Amino acid sequence: DVQMTQSPSSLSASVGDRVTITCRASQTISYFLNWYQQKPGRAPKVLIYATSTLQSGVSSRFSGSGSGTEFTLTITNLQAEDFATYYCQQTYRTPVTFGGGTKVDVK
Amino acid sequence: QVHLVQSGPEVKKPGSSVKVSCKASGGPFSSSTLSWVRQAPGLGLEWLGNITPLFARADYAQKFRGRLTFTTDEPTRTSYMELRSLTYEDTAVYYCATERLDRTTTYNWYDPWGQGTQVIVSS
């Protein structure tokens, strides 16, 4: 199975900050990497797919980059509605696997 | 636009089975791949597998083979996930999600997701 390691597992930030979350795959997954946002009691919501493509309707404050085994989600000008947990997901091979999540909370 | 609505919460005893439904409205059904993901309390996301009605093909995570079955009912546009021989470790929120596919690049992602179904295994 492809292991997805996210870091950090949690971070504290303030409104207006720039936040970077990293996801590492245990083997190359090309660009088959998606990012999701989840708020308490809600289903995950896709933010970025295929490493860097912004889902329709998602704020341009979110961006993704990377390839192979290292990927990054960046949130610029963090807003109140961005405090949530973020997950990466690889769909290169089954079983599909997710990172352990990064909780972004208020500093 | 596809919209997924799941069945309500369940409380089950260890050793029993649970069947969760996921009804799709809007968009194609038969040709779409539907995935199932679960989330244990306070933990991350775990892929259970997927099913594509058109090909009558299901793919299960190795961990669940033998006690997990996906089915679909095309007239009602409803998919089902049945998990048998439940243990306390199966307590989780179970989600269905439509797999979106870029046919040119084969990149795929999950959107939308159902609202989730809480399954509690308790004696």
Side-chain angles (χ1 to χ4, degrees):
Chain A
D1 297 3
V2 180
Q3 306 302 319
M4 305 300 293
T5 304
Q6 256 182 265
S7 60
S9 57
S10 66
L11 64 91
S12 297
S14 302
V15 171
D17 283 355
R18 176 188 173 99
V19 166
T20 299
I21 299 168
T22 297
C23 186
R24 282 195 179 85
S26 61
Q27 57 188 270
T28 183
I29 57 171
S30 183
Y31 296 95
F32 287 78
L33 191 285
N34 308 316
W35 290 98
Y36 297 85
Q37 177 194 66
Q38 186 179 33
K39 295 183 178 179
R42 305 293 297 271
K45 166 191 155 185
V46 66
L47 300 173
I48 288 169
Y49 61 90
T51 297
S52 59
T53 303
L54 197 65
Q55 170 74 352
S56 175
V58 173
S59 171
S60 59
R61 294 180 289 100
F62 293 92
S63 64
S65 64
S67 68
T69 60
E70 285 234 8
F71 302 87
T72 299
L73 172 70
T74 301
I75 312 170
T76 55
N77 187 24
L78 192 73
Q79 297 298 296
E81 61 267 27
D82 301 335
F83 292 105
T85 300
Y86 295 85
Y87 293 94
C88 61
Q89 174 204 39
Q90 69 80 23
T91 58
Y92 184 68
R93 294 192 187 283
T94 56
V96 168
T97 47
F98 295 86
T102 297
K103 184 175 182 180
V104 178
D105 61 20
V106 180
K107 183 185 286 184
Chain B
Q1 279 284 52
V2 177
H3 183 57
L4 302 177
V5 177
Q6 298 183 224
S7 49
E10 303 264 11
V11 179
K12 294 292 183 179
K13 293 196 181 305
S16 67
S17 301
V18 67
K19 194 168 188 177
V20 176
S21 69
C22 174
K23 184 174 176 62
S25 59
F29 176 76
S30 297
S31 59
S32 295
T33 296
L34 189 85
S35 293
W36 291 89
V37 174
R38 76 178 185 180
Q39 186 169 36
L43 297 182
L45 302 166
E46 181 176 30
W47 185 77
L48 305 181
N50 61 27
I51 185 166
T52 307
L54 181 64
F55 305 123
R57 183 183 73 198
D59 188 9
Y60 301 101
Q62 177 69 39
K63 174 180 177 179
F64 300 101
R65 281 179 198 158
R67 69 182 189 107
L68 178 62
T69 303
F70 302 139
T71 54
T72 60
D73 181 65
E74 295 189 45
T76 61
R77 298 171 60 93
T78 303
S79 299
Y80 299 90
M81 180 229 44
E82 182 178 30
L83 187 61
R84 299 176 292 278
S85 302
L86 293 170
T87 71
Y88 299 116
E89 288 68 40
D90 294 316
T91 293
V93 176
Y94 288 75
Y95 294 100
C96 59
T98 297
E99 183 176 309
R100 301 284 300 277
L101 174 67
D102 181 324
R103 296 189 186 280
T104 303
T105 61
T106 73
Y107 295 129
N108 53 339
W109 63 99
Y110 293 179
D111 178 66
W113 295 58
Q115 83 276 19
T117 296
Q118 174 75 64
V119 174
I120 295 173
V121 182
S122 173
S123 56

